[in-house]
């Protein structure tokens, strides 16, 4: 069966420090991968998605970047965190080429920038 | 572009009350529709889905019917429990948008004993 792992679960970082959040998927090949952010009390914002290794699409201009060094690995990064980067970050995957099954989400990383 | 509009919360109900959370959508193609649930401090879980008009998705006593004529996918449950307290998100996946999932803003449901 397919599983998605996301870590760390919580993170407290000072302003100006770097960030690296990792997401891996098991039990499937060539998944579509996504990073979402959920700010406190607000809905979900799609940050990045990837349909293959090295292929990253950015949905909104921001202080963050994403990379996909391997087929089932998706990394969210920042060189210098801002207070506004605080939020709940969710990784998700879906089967390539079809939208009938929706996305499967990881358990999320709660990032607090202080 | 695609969009999902769901009723603003929060919604507060007593146990065993009837629940409706309204959801309407706009899409460029023929989308699949979903309801996700997020329990406190957790990620999102797929609650139910429907992939074509008049399909009814159901799970854990929740139901939603894909109404193409009214572009709606309202979530219902006949008798809510305290354990149903969570945030509920309506979403669509549109082939015209490369199957990216578009979410509504979420509705916080609190069920009191």
């Amino acid at each position: 069966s397919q599983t998605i792992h996301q870590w760390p679960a919580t993170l407290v970082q000072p302003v100006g420090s770097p960030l690296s959040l990792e997401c891996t998927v098991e039990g499937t090949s060539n998944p579509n991968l996504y990073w979402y952010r959920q700010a406190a009390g607000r809905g979900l914002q799609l940050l990045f998605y990837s349909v293959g290794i090295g292929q990253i699409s950015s949905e909104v201009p921001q202080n963050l970047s994403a990379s996909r060094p391997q087929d089932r690995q998706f990394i969210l990064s920042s060189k210098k965190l801002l207070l506004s980067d605080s939020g709940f970050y969710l990784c998700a995957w879906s089967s390539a080429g079809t939208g009938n099954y929706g996305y499967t989400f990881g358990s999320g990383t709660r990032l607090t920038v202080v | 572009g695609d969009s999902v509009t769901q009723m603003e919360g929060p919604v507060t109900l007593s146990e065993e009350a009837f629940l409706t959370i309204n959801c309407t959508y706009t899409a460029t193609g023929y989308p699949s529709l979903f309801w996700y649930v997020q329990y406190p401090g957790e990620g999102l879980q797929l609650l139910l889905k429907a992939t074509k008009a008049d399909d009814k998705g159901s799970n854990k006593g929740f139901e939603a019917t894909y109404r193409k004529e009214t572009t709606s996918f309202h979530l219902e449950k006949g008798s809510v429990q305290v354990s149903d307290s969570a945030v509920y998100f309506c979403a669509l996946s549109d082939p015209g948008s490369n199957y990216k999932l578009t979410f509504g803003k979420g509705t916080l449901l609190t069920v009191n004993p």
Side-chain angles (χ1 to χ4, degrees):
Chain A
S1 64
Q2 301 93 352
T3 56
I4 180 168
H5 302 281
Q6 189 180 341
W7 68 93
T10 60
L11 194 58
V12 180
Q13 291 284 97
V15 168
S17 64
L19 173 73
S20 180
L21 303 181
E22 189 162 343
C23 172
T24 59
V25 180
E26 296 178 357
T28 187
S29 297
N30 195 32
N32 292 339
L33 297 171
Y34 309 86
W35 278 111
Y36 281 84
R37 177 170 59 200
Q38 186 177 29
R42 300 178 66 179
L44 293 155
Q45 181 184 37
L46 178 62
L47 301 176
F48 301 95
Y49 71 96
S50 171
V51 299
I53 295 174
Q55 301 179 59
I56 309 294
S57 295
S58 174
E59 290 293 296
V60 293
Q62 59 203 309
N63 184 43
L64 302 168
S65 62
S67 61
R68 185 170 177 173
Q70 301 180 41
D71 181 44
R72 291 169 290 176
Q73 184 184 29
F74 204 25
I75 298 172
L76 184 70
S77 304
S78 174
K79 292 182 179 178
K80 290 186 178 181
L81 284 168
L82 307 172
L83 286 174
S84 58
D85 292 323
S86 293
F88 192 48
Y89 288 83
L90 290 159
C91 181
W93 76 272
S94 68
S95 298
T98 176
N100 289 348
Y101 302 104
Y103 295 0
T104 300
F105 284 84
S107 53
T109 296
R110 185 160 304 283
L111 171 66
T112 304
V113 182
V114 297
Chain B
D2 300 336
S3 67
V4 176
T5 302
Q6 60 183 105
M7 62 187 289
E8 296 284 335
V11 174
T12 303
L13 297 173
S14 297
E15 209 165 20
E16 300 184 2
F18 184 85
L19 169 70
T20 299
I21 301 178
N22 290 337
C23 172
T24 57
Y25 68 90
T26 58
T28 55
Y30 195 142
S32 296
L33 302 174
F34 306 87
W35 277 100
Y36 282 83
V37 59
Q38 184 180 32
Y39 297 104
E42 299 183 11
L44 275 70
Q45 301 175 27
L46 179 63
L47 180 60
L48 53 85
K49 67 175 184 178
T51 58
K52 61 183 187 296
D54 300 325
D55 268 2
K56 178 186 284 187
S58 61
N59 186 24
K60 299 181 181 180
F62 290 90
E63 294 182 340
T65 301
Y66 190 146
R67 300 290 188 197
K68 196 169 190 293
E69 64 277 13
T70 55
T71 61
S72 64
F73 194 54
H74 305 321
L75 182 69
E76 297 182 336
K77 186 174 184 180
S79 176
V80 294
Q81 306 301 312
V82 172
S83 57
D84 294 326
S85 297
V87 180
Y88 293 82
F89 291 92
C90 185
L92 70 84
S93 172
D94 186 355
S97 300
N98 203 26
Y99 299 112
K100 284 186 290 182
L101 211 57
T102 300
F103 287 90
K105 292 186 177 180
T107 302
L108 174 62
L109 169 67
T110 301
V111 181
N112 295 319

